[in-house]
Amino acid sequence: MSGNLLHRPPILRRPDGIGGALPALILISLFFVVPVVALLLRSVTEPVPGLQNYANLFGDGTYARVFFNTFLVATVVTTVTVIVAFPVAWMLAIMPPALGSIVFGIIILSMWTNLLTRTYAWMVLLQRTGVINRTLMDIGLISEPLPLINNLTGVTIGMVYIMLPFMILPLVGTLRAIDPMTLRAAALCGASPFDAFRRILLPLSLPGIAAGGLMVFVMSLGYFVTPTLLGGTSNMMLAAMIAQMIQSLLNWGLGSAAAFILLSVTMALYALQLRLVGAKRMTGGI
Amino acid sequence: MKLILTGILAGLLAATAAHADEMVFTSWGGTTQEAQTKSWAAPFEASSGIKVLQDGPTDYGKLKAMVEGGSVAWDVVDVEMDFAIKAAKDGLLEPIDFNVVPKADLDPRFTTDHAVGSFYYSFVLAWNKGAVSGEPAGWADMFDLTKFPGKRTFYKWSAPGVIEIALLADGVPADKLYPLDLDRAFKKLDTIKSEIVWWDSGAQSQQLIASGEAAFGQLWNGRVFALEQDGADVGVSWNQNMTAADVLVIPKGSKNKASAMKFLAAATSPKSQAMFAEASGYAPINTAAKAEMPGDVVKSLPDAYVDGQINLDMNYWAENRDKIAERWYAWQAK
C-alpha cells in the first residue's frame, strides 16, 4: 500500500498534518462553531444575563410537553420507518441489478421532489374532505371521516414517507453485504424463514438499522414543515416552538435556549451511536 | 423552512435593492398583496419612476433580525397595528415624515407617529353553505356544537380576535370586553377545542371554508369577499363584526427611506385607497376615499356594517400581547 503511494504523482497524495485540513477547519468554524457560540451566548444573555431561559424551559409544563411530543414523534416515526423500510431494502438487495436501479431511481426521485409539495399532497389526501376519506365513504366502509390529519397520525404518515429513503439507503448497503449463502445454510440446517430472519438477517443488518435509525431519529427531532402542516397544535414539536418564539413572540433568548438544547441532544445521541456502532461501520454502510 | 426561504429571498432582494430607484414592499401575500401591488405599487411606479419590489410574507422575527443586524432589506412593511405600536416602543421603526405623507384625511384611529393605516378589516363569521344546515347568526353559534356540528376554524396566532369572540359568545357585553377575562375566554374555548381547525394564512382560511373542511370560521372579510367573487358557495354574518387595522411601517435603517415615505403618501392617497378597497373588500383608511368609489362597493365594506360593530382594542393588545401570547400558546399545546 505505502509502496503504491510513493509512485503516485504528488497531487494525488493525501495531504499530511494540519495544513491539509485547514480549509475544512475554517469552513467548519465559520459555518458551525461561530453560529453555535452566538446561539449559546444569546440564550444566556437575553433578555438579561443568566440561566433563566433554561430554567423557564425546564420548569414550565407547556415546554415539557413540547419536549415530550418531540421525542414521541421522533420515536414513533423512526420505528414505523424501520418496519416499512426493511422489506423494501431487502427486496432491493436481492433484486436483479437492472430492476433494482429503476426502483432506486424512483426512491431518489421522490427525495428530490420539493418537500413542501409532497407535504401539501398529503394534506389533500388526508383531510376530512380528502381523497382517502371520500373514497372510503363512497364505498361505504366508513360513515364518518377518519381523523387522519391535524394529529399524530397525520404527522407520522407524512414524516415516515419523507424519511423512508434515509432509512432504505443505508439498509440496502448493509443487506447487500450479507452473503445470501448464510441464509441458505440456515435453511439447510432446519431453520424456519422466521428463525433465519430473527437469528441471522436481523443481527447482521443491525449496523444498517442503527445508522438509518439514528439519521431518521435525529432528522425527526428537528422537523418543522411536516408536523406544522399535518399536525395539530397539541402535537407541537420543538422546531415549531422555536419558530414561534423567534417569529411571533420575538423572544429570542428563549428560542435560542430551546435550539441549543435540541442541538445538544442531537450531538449526545450521535456520540452515543459512535461508541455503540463505531464510525466506520456506520458510514461505511451508506 | 419559511424563515430560511424568506431569509434567502430577502438576501437576494437586499443585493438588488441597493439602487436608488428601487424599494421593497413586504406584505402578507395572496389576494391582499395582489391588490396592494395593483392599486398602490403599479400607479406609484408609473408616477415616481421608483420600482417597487414585492416580498413576503410579513415576518416579525425577520423584521427584528434585519433591524438589529443592521441589514434592512425591507422598506415598507404591512403589519398588524398592535405589533406596530409595540415595535415602535422597541425602537424597530422609523418615524413617519408627515411633511411627505399628508395626514389631514387619514383616519386618526389608524395613524401613529410610526405608522399609517394600510386598510382596515372586519373579522366576520363565514360558512360553507353546503356544509352547514341553517344560518349561524353570530359568534354564539360558533360555540354551539349541538345546533351547528362540524369543524370550525379560527386564526392560529395570538392576536386580537379569538379571545374576544369567546367572551362575546359567553355573554360578555361588547362594551365590557376589556380588560380581557382570559380565564373565562379559555374556559369557553375549551368547550369546542376538539372541533377547532386553525388557519395561519388567509389563503388557508379560504381553502378550509371553500372545501368544507371546516364548516365555518372566523375570517377576514376581504378573504370572504374574494371567495364570493370566485363564486364559492359561502354565507357571511356581519353580526358583531370586529374591526382591526393593518398599518404600513418603515423598519429602522431602511436603505430607501425617502422612497418609502413617498410610497406611503401614494398608498394612503384617496385614489389608491379607493382602488385597493374595490379590489380587496377592505375598508380605506383615507376618509376622502369613499368619494372615489362606486356606491355598491361602499356598501360591501366593513363601515357599512357599523351596527353592533366592535373595535378591537389595539392599545390593550400592544400592552398585553406577550402576556396573552404565553397563555395562548400554552393552551393550544395542551
Side-chain angles (χ1 to χ4, degrees):
Chain A
M1 186 66 192
S2 63
N4 278 343
L5 208 67
L6 283 178
H7 290 107
R8 280 189 189 167
I11 191 121
L12 287 183
R13 256 184 236 155
R14 277 171 196 251
D16 300 322
I18 191 83
L22 205 59
L25 281 177
I26 292 175
L27 271 181
I28 288 179
S29 47
L30 213 62
F31 292 108
F32 186 72
V33 178
V34 172
V36 167
V37 171
L39 188 75
L40 182 61
L41 280 180
R42 208 183 257 280
S43 73
V44 292
T45 54
E46 268 190 32
V48 286
L51 291 173
Q52 78 287 345
N53 284 326
Y54 291 92
N56 258 351
L57 283 174
F58 288 117
D60 186 296
T62 308
Y63 303 139
R65 198 174 303 114
V66 173
F67 279 110
F68 173 78
N69 274 343
T70 309
F71 284 92
L72 175 74
V73 169
T75 309
V76 171
V77 167
T78 308
T79 313
V80 178
T81 306
V82 170
I83 293 169
V84 177
F86 198 93
V88 181
W90 180 242
M91 195 184 72
L92 271 165
I94 57 173
M95 230 177 221
L99 193 61
S101 63
I102 294 176
V103 180
F104 234 81
I106 295 173
I107 292 172
I108 298 284
L109 258 181
S110 89
M111 254 172 92
W112 285 341
T113 311
N114 182 292
L115 176 77
L116 208 56
T117 317
R118 287 188 282 157
T119 306
Y120 272 113
W122 277 112
M123 263 172 109
V124 173
L125 290 173
L126 296 177
Q127 55 184 9
R128 292 165 53 85
T129 50
V131 178
I132 294 173
N133 271 321
R134 280 255 167 85
T135 313
L136 289 178
M137 281 168 80
D138 283 349
I139 57 177
L141 233 54
I142 50 171
S143 57
E144 274 286 299
L146 298 172
L148 298 174
I149 197 171
N150 300 327
N151 52 27
L152 188 60
T153 314
V155 179
T156 307
I157 294 174
M159 279 178 68
V160 165
Y161 164 74
I162 282 158
M163 295 300 174
L164 270 176
F166 299 100
M167 191 69 226
I168 291 174
L169 296 183
L171 249 185
V172 171
T174 316
L175 290 175
R176 273 202 184 138
I178 297 172
D179 190 345
M181 291 305 283
T182 52
L183 292 175
R184 196 165 300 169
L188 283 174
C189 296
S192 68
F194 178 71
D195 273 337
F197 168 76
R198 190 173 61 88
R199 299 180 60 178
I200 296 173
L201 196 57
L202 195 61
L204 284 176
S205 57
L206 269 183
I209 293 178
L214 175 78
M215 185 139 66
V216 171
F217 190 81
V218 165
M219 282 173 73
S220 302
L221 280 182
Y223 235 63
F224 179 62
V225 174
T226 311
T228 307
L229 290 176
L230 300 178
T233 46
S234 55
N235 310 109
M236 186 192 275
M237 289 175 71
L238 210 47
M241 186 180 89
I242 294 169
Q244 202 171 72
M245 286 168 180
I246 303 287
Q247 284 182 293
S248 163
L249 300 181
L250 301 188
N251 190 344
W252 289 7
L254 204 58
S256 302
F260 194 76
I261 292 173
L262 182 60
L263 183 70
S264 310
V265 171
T266 309
M267 303 277 273
L269 282 173
Y270 187 66
L272 183 76
Q273 183 87 4
L274 280 184
R275 291 197 68 167
L276 290 182
V277 188
K280 272 234 170 89
R281 288 186 77 185
M282 249 181 73
T283 48
I286 298 175
Chain B
M1 190 70 183
K2 203 174 82 182
L3 260 179
I4 296 169
L5 284 179
T6 42
I8 293 170
L9 212 72
L12 288 175
L13 285 169
T16 53
H19 308 287
D21 53 351
E22 282 184 357
M23 56 161 285
V24 179
F25 173 68
T26 298
S27 185
W28 302 91
T31 48
T32 304
Q33 192 162 359
E34 269 169 40
Q36 287 170 327
T37 308
K38 207 180 80 188
S39 320
W40 301 349
F44 176 69
E45 282 183 346
S47 66
S48 68
I50 299 167
K51 189 159 171 47
V52 181
L53 301 171
Q54 300 285 328
D55 195 11
T58 297
D59 179 329
Y60 299 147
K62 184 86 213 154
L63 194 154
K64 179 177 148 116
M66 284 179 182
V67 175
E68 290 189 350
S71 154
V72 180
W74 293 343
D75 299 307
V76 174
V77 188
D78 189 300
V79 301
E80 290 155 297
M81 186 157 181
D82 63 315
F83 172 79
I85 296 171
K86 177 97 194 321
K89 222 182 265 173
D90 294 347
L92 299 175
L93 306 179
E94 294 279 357
I96 306 293
D97 181 355
F98 286 105
N99 294 319
V100 181
V101 187
K103 197 179 185 177
D105 291 331
L106 301 185
D107 190 328
R109 283 183 295 167
F110 312 124
T111 312
T112 72
D113 292 344
H114 292 80
V116 291
S118 173
F119 57 85
Y120 83 93
Y121 52 84
S122 275
F123 276 125
V124 293
L125 178 95
W127 65 92
N128 180 312
K129 284 186 184 162
V132 174
S133 51
E135 282 211 356
W139 300 123
D141 285 342
M142 288 266 279
F143 288 76
D144 192 337
L145 291 176
T146 19
K147 211 158 120 201
F148 294 101
K151 297 281 175 192
R152 40 267 280 152
T153 182
F154 291 97
Y155 193 33
K156 182 177 176 179
W157 309 113
S158 162
V162 181
I163 305 268
E164 284 89 344
I165 289 176
L167 291 174
L168 289 169
D170 205 36
V172 175
D175 57 347
K176 297 273 187 319
L177 278 174
Y178 300 96
L180 295 170
D181 184 344
L182 294 179
D183 291 332
R184 187 167 174 181
F186 284 117
K187 214 175 134 207
K188 185 71 177 172
L189 281 163
D190 273 334
T191 62
I192 57 163
K193 194 173 181 187
S194 58
E195 296 297 300
I196 297 178
V197 185
W198 302 99
W199 59 266
D200 62 6
S201 71
Q204 197 189 358
S205 72
Q206 291 170 313
Q207 194 272 336
L208 285 168
I209 295 295
S211 68
E213 186 67 18
F216 36 4
Q218 159 216 18
L219 264 65
W220 287 314
N221 75 289
R223 296 292 178 159
V224 184
F225 176 78
L227 278 178
E228 283 171 335
Q229 293 216 316
D230 283 349
D233 198 18
V234 292
V236 55
S237 161
W238 285 86
N239 194 11
Q240 290 185 315
N241 72 87
M242 302 189 304
T243 65
D246 266 22
V247 291
L248 300 174
V249 297
I250 301 175
K252 188 152 215 128
S254 148
K255 293 188 187 67
N256 304 293
K257 212 170 97 181
S259 302
M261 291 295 173
K262 284 185 213 155
F263 179 82
L264 291 191
T268 55
S269 70
K271 189 135 199 172
S272 288
Q273 283 284 314
M275 267 175 83
F276 175 78
E278 205 172 326
S280 68
Y282 292 126
I285 53 85
N286 189 312
T287 49
K290 264 188 225 163
E292 310 263 345
M293 291 159 60
D296 58 325
V297 175
V298 174
K299 264 184 247 148
S300 72
L301 297 177
D303 49 4
Y305 298 91
V306 287
D307 267 2
Q309 190 171 63
I310 296 156
N311 288 308
L312 295 170
D313 188 338
M314 293 296 159
N315 286 310
Y316 177 84
W317 271 90
E319 213 153 284
N320 297 286
R321 193 180 172 103
D322 291 350
K323 201 184 74 203
I324 298 172
E326 213 168 283
R327 277 200 66 174
W328 174 256
Y329 293 121
W331 175 82
Q332 267 191 340
K334 240 180 242 167

